[in-house]
Amino acid sequence: MHEVSIHKLGRVVGSYVAKKVSRLDQVEFLAFGAEILLGSILKLSILFLIAAMLGVVLEVAILLVVTGLIRTLSGGAHCSAYYRCLVTSVLILTALGYTIKTVHPFIRLLPTIVLVAISVLSIFLYWYYSPQAPLNKPFSSRAKEVAFRWYTLIAVVMISIILTILGTDSLIGWTMAFALLWQAFTLTPLGHRFIGLWDILLTFKVKGGRQNVEDYD
């Protein structure tokens, strides 16, 4: 199986745009931007196509927004190549979305204290394990690291307040709770091992291939 080479495609697009605007000195910058844009479009297209087939578009959309927001601040476990990131993200988010929709008729009967407990557990995990910068982009200072920890905690607390107000009867509230807990899990040592296992399972030997370290979601 050949690796999805979004990196190469991004370079082609970046080079083309740079030539069109006569800014050859910006090739690397434009190529990086094109790579991110193309990767995101492909990832979202596949994700929501499968979500639509399973009837969980709303759940997946909420999971994506919440985990995406928190992950931007907290960091988390990584896959080592684009296609592994793509497959892992699609499988996990659609599986979570489908699970939430399936069990919602049962968990909606639980008391609100359960949502509060999930929120408290999530806040503790974020406080203890976040933030986590990628190995190739470490924090430039201790002050920046502390700032991102506070940004993360503020965002998590605000989302926790919203889901608690929505209550256990709300599908959206439960989806937000699962999103917080899942993203918190990816910060833990067990979460890193879990994503690492997927990374290994999805590894295929490609002659002359080039691997890039990318965020899994």
Side-chain angles (χ1 to χ4, degrees):
M1 176 178 178
H2 293 287
E3 183 175 344
V4 178
S5 188
I6 293 295
H7 175 75
K8 292 180 180 178
L9 187 57
R11 288 198 64 83
V12 172
V13 174
S15 298
Y16 175 79
V17 174
K19 291 177 181 178
K20 280 294 183 180
V21 299
S22 301
R23 293 298 303 272
L24 296 179
D25 58 318
Q26 296 293 316
V27 169
E28 292 297 328
F29 176 76
L30 292 171
F32 180 70
E35 183 179 348
I36 293 176
L37 179 61
L38 292 171
S40 298
I41 291 174
L42 177 61
K43 185 175 181 178
L44 291 175
S45 298
I46 295 175
L47 175 62
F48 281 105
L49 174 61
I50 296 177
M53 292 171 62
L54 294 175
V56 291
V57 172
L58 175 62
E59 293 83 354
V60 168
I62 295 171
L63 287 167
L64 186 63
V65 170
V66 175
T67 57
L69 170 63
I70 302 301
R71 186 175 180 79
T72 300
L73 301 172
S74 69
H78 298 263
C79 281
S80 60
Y82 175 76
Y83 81 86
R84 297 170 205 162
C85 163
L86 173 65
V87 174
T88 303
S89 297
V90 170
L91 286 176
I92 290 174
L93 291 179
T94 52
L96 277 176
Y98 188 79
T99 300
I100 294 167
K101 184 174 183 177
T102 302
V103 303
H104 181 249
F106 306 100
I107 59 178
R108 66 182 297 182
L109 303 176
L110 296 173
T112 304
I113 190 64
V114 176
L115 280 179
V116 175
I118 292 175
S119 297
V120 171
L121 174 60
S122 297
I123 291 171
F124 169 76
L125 292 174
Y126 286 110
W127 172 81
Y128 192 82
Y129 289 108
S130 71
Q132 296 177 7
L135 294 178
N136 59 336
K137 295 179 182 178
F139 289 110
S140 57
S141 66
R142 173 61 180 170
K144 188 173 182 180
E145 181 178 352
V146 171
F148 269 91
R149 169 173 290 178
W150 281 109
Y151 295 153
T152 301
L153 290 176
I154 291 172
V156 171
V157 169
M158 293 300 295
I159 293 173
S160 296
I161 292 173
I162 294 172
L163 67 88
T164 301
I165 292 174
L166 291 174
T168 56
D169 191 52
S170 171
L171 176 63
I172 295 177
W174 276 109
T175 306
M176 296 172 73
F178 273 77
L180 283 184
L181 200 55
W182 163 251
Q183 177 54 30
F185 173 72
T186 68
L187 295 169
T188 66
L190 183 59
H192 279 268
R193 287 195 290 271
F194 178 77
I195 297 300
L197 177 61
W198 276 101
D199 204 38
I200 294 172
L201 292 175
L202 295 172
T203 298
F204 300 90
K205 292 183 179 180
V206 180
K207 293 182 179 180
R210 178 180 180 276
Q211 295 184 346
N212 299 311
V213 176
E214 298 184 29
D215 198 328
Y216 89 92
D217 67 21

